[in-house]
Amino acid sequence: MDMVKEKLSNLYDIGSSKRVFQSEWREEGVPFYRAREIARLSEDGYVDNELFIDEDLYEEYTEKYGKPQPGDVMVTGVGTLGVCYVVKPEDKFYFKDGNILWFKQKAPERILPEYLVKAFDSKDVKDFISKNSSGTTVGTFTIQTANKMEISLPTLIQQKEIIERISKLEGIIKKRQLEIEKLDELIKARFIEMFGDPTYNPNSYPIVQLSNYIEFLTSGSRGWARYCVDDGKEWFITIKNVKDCNIITDNMQTI
């Protein structure tokens, strides 16, 4: 597969929004997103938003500074860094500056927005963001860092193939996760059927001291040696001396 490295700054105009002050937040109006809302949109495809701004302020700011267009990509710059959401035609929102980076399409003939999302999930990009995130205690993914970033850029046809393959694998993983969750629910239901639900009847299960029934030994303690005595010797067992649940005394240390 033909791969070249390309700077994101050659593919997108990377910026943010006009600052909206907390005093301008409202309980209704045009949705106002922070990083947490973008992350939820990325994960679930929807969000129960709790912050808004006035329609008039939205119109003023978007007329002067623009607004996210379909195919643009919003990327979280705080919290969980580098989470992406592709703007849809029906979306209408404004967003918090500094919390979210706005990747405006500059070369749609060279990169698909869905491919950028997959690229941000790659190990190379995650490592780059982790190593270059600013802040002494809380890391942030900044416009300056994003402009320096490079990604592997195959042809559009190859990008589509990559998107399809990864999406298929993600679908399989999600299906398996749902199956595991259903199995877990079945096991819990069977336990309750057999023994009752301790949540509603906690007194039906006595609380006991675990140490009354189990002898605790610290991992790595030389107290383990007394459990392996051969020809009068006490052996100090390490993990390399245990194979297939059998203790191998070759080269084992004695004490």
Side-chain angles (χ1 to χ4, degrees):
M1 182 177 291
D2 298 330
M3 285 281 193
V4 296
K5 287 283 189 179
E6 189 68 74
K7 274 192 172 183
L8 286 180
S9 58
N10 294 332
L11 304 169
Y12 291 93
D13 287 322
I14 304 172
S16 192
S17 64
K18 179 69 172 68
R19 176 163 296 184
V20 175
F21 296 97
Q22 189 169 347
S23 60
E24 297 172 312
W25 296 357
R26 300 290 183 264
E27 294 183 356
E28 58 182 18
V30 177
F32 181 69
Y33 293 158
R34 299 157 296 180
R36 69 187 69 175
E37 281 80 34
I38 292 298
R40 180 60 60 83
L41 282 167
S42 174
E43 179 70 21
D44 300 331
Y46 68 91
V47 61
D48 293 326
N49 193 50
E50 59 185 25
L51 295 180
F52 302 84
I53 61 172
D54 288 334
E55 181 78 33
D56 290 344
L57 184 63
Y58 171 78
E59 293 295 340
E60 176 187 342
Y61 279 7
T62 55
E63 183 177 347
K64 289 182 179 179
Y65 310 106
K67 60 184 177 181
Q69 299 296 319
D72 289 350
V73 181
M74 318 306 295
V75 183
T76 58
V78 297
T80 304
L81 307 180
V83 178
C84 302
Y85 173 70
V86 180
V87 179
K88 297 178 173 57
E90 64 271 19
D91 284 334
K92 181 180 180 179
F93 64 88
Y94 207 62
F95 59 98
K96 194 173 190 303
D97 68 303
N99 273 218
I100 301 167
L101 277 61
W102 177 9
F103 284 63
K104 310 172 198 176
Q105 294 183 93
K106 187 162 72 173
E109 74 285 353
R110 297 190 61 201
I111 184 170
L112 299 171
E114 294 80 8
Y115 176 78
L116 181 67
V117 174
K118 303 305 182 188
F120 265 86
D121 282 335
S122 69
K123 185 179 184 301
D124 287 348
V125 170
K126 288 182 181 295
D127 287 346
F128 178 89
I129 293 175
S130 177
K131 292 176 182 177
N132 293 276
S133 60
S134 60
T136 54
T137 55
V138 179
T140 56
F141 180 43
T142 65
I143 295 172
Q144 291 76 15
T145 300
N147 277 312
K148 296 176 184 177
M149 184 188 298
E150 293 183 341
I151 62 169
S152 298
L153 189 67
T155 66
L156 285 182
I157 293 176
Q158 291 169 333
Q159 289 179 39
K160 290 178 182 178
E161 292 177 354
I162 291 170
I163 293 167
E164 290 174 359
R165 290 181 183 181
I166 293 177
S167 298
K168 184 176 181 179
L169 288 173
E170 289 173 342
I172 293 172
I173 292 171
K174 187 172 184 179
K175 181 180 178 181
R176 293 294 181 264
Q177 289 173 336
L178 290 173
E179 290 174 349
I180 291 172
E181 290 174 4
K182 289 181 179 179
L183 180 60
D184 187 47
E185 291 174 359
L186 178 62
I187 292 171
K188 289 179 180 178
R190 182 57 59 88
F191 177 88
I192 292 172
E193 180 183 328
M194 296 173 64
F195 303 106
D197 189 349
T199 304
Y200 294 99
N201 189 15
N203 294 326
S204 62
Y205 294 89
I207 298 175
V208 299
Q209 189 74 29
L210 192 58
S211 59
N212 293 338
Y213 299 89
I214 298 175
E215 180 179 1
F216 291 99
L217 294 171
T218 304
S219 176
S221 168
R222 288 183 177 265
W224 281 100
R226 68 178 182 271
Y227 291 102
C228 184
V229 179
D230 184 30
D231 294 332
K233 296 180 180 179
E234 292 184 337
W235 301 95
F236 178 57
I237 305 170
T238 64
I239 192 65
K240 66 182 180 181
N241 299 118
V242 180
K243 184 176 181 181
D244 298 329
C245 298
N246 294 312
I247 297 173
I248 311 300
T249 57
D250 293 344
N251 301 318
M252 188 186 295
Q253 180 183 353
T254 61
I255 59 172

